[in-house]
Amino acid sequence: MDGQGNITILENGSVTIFVYAFGGEPSAVMTLEISALLGDVDSNGEVNVQDAYLTMVEYAEIAAGSDGSFTGKQNYVGDVDLNDTITIQDAYLIQVYYASAAAGSPVEWETLRE
């Protein structure tokens, strides 16, 4: 959690958040289930060439000075190189990931980042 109370979730799974009122017992408890497929920016359940295209468009918007149009989730799953921003490298890695899987030789994201 940063100084403004923002929480960044780095991987899929469960996250439990406890809210305390000045040192007392928790006044609220919330459990979130986080589920997202890395690279799947259009949320159709698979990583494909459309995801690479959408990521390239997002990068072009940002490079042209826009804030971009991706949602928070799209930024999370589209940032496959894990550098906290959408770049042309993300679009390239999504394309390679898809092409490798389509050719019958799937690769892991960690391998692509090397």
Side-chain angles (χ1 to χ4, degrees):
M1 181 182 316
D2 67 16
Q4 297 177 353
N6 297 311
I7 299 171
T8 302
I9 306 208
L10 300 176
E11 34 185 272
N12 293 336
S14 292
V15 175
T16 302
I17 301 170
F18 298 91
V19 178
Y20 294 89
F22 301 106
E25 291 296 313
S27 57
V29 177
M30 188 172 30
T31 300
L32 305 173
E33 283 293 324
I34 308 301
S35 176
L37 176 61
L38 197 60
D40 182 21
V41 298
D42 64 3
S43 297
N44 71 347
E46 59 186 41
V47 178
N48 56 36
V49 71
Q50 179 71 10
D51 299 305
Y53 169 76
L54 292 171
T55 305
M56 282 190 286
V57 170
E58 179 72 0
Y59 167 71
E61 289 177 8
I62 293 167
S66 164
D67 289 335
S69 57
F70 271 11
T71 65
K73 180 179 178 182
Q74 287 175 308
N75 277 313
Y76 171 74
V77 298
D79 181 25
V80 297
D81 65 3
L82 305 179
N83 71 348
D84 295 325
T85 188
I86 298 296
T87 66
I88 197 67
Q89 179 72 7
D90 296 307
Y92 169 75
L93 291 175
I94 292 169
Q95 181 79 19
V96 171
Y97 182 91
Y98 165 71
S100 297
S105 300
V107 295
E108 297 293 324
W109 289 112
E110 292 79 19
T111 303
L112 292 176
R113 289 186 205 111
E114 293 176 351

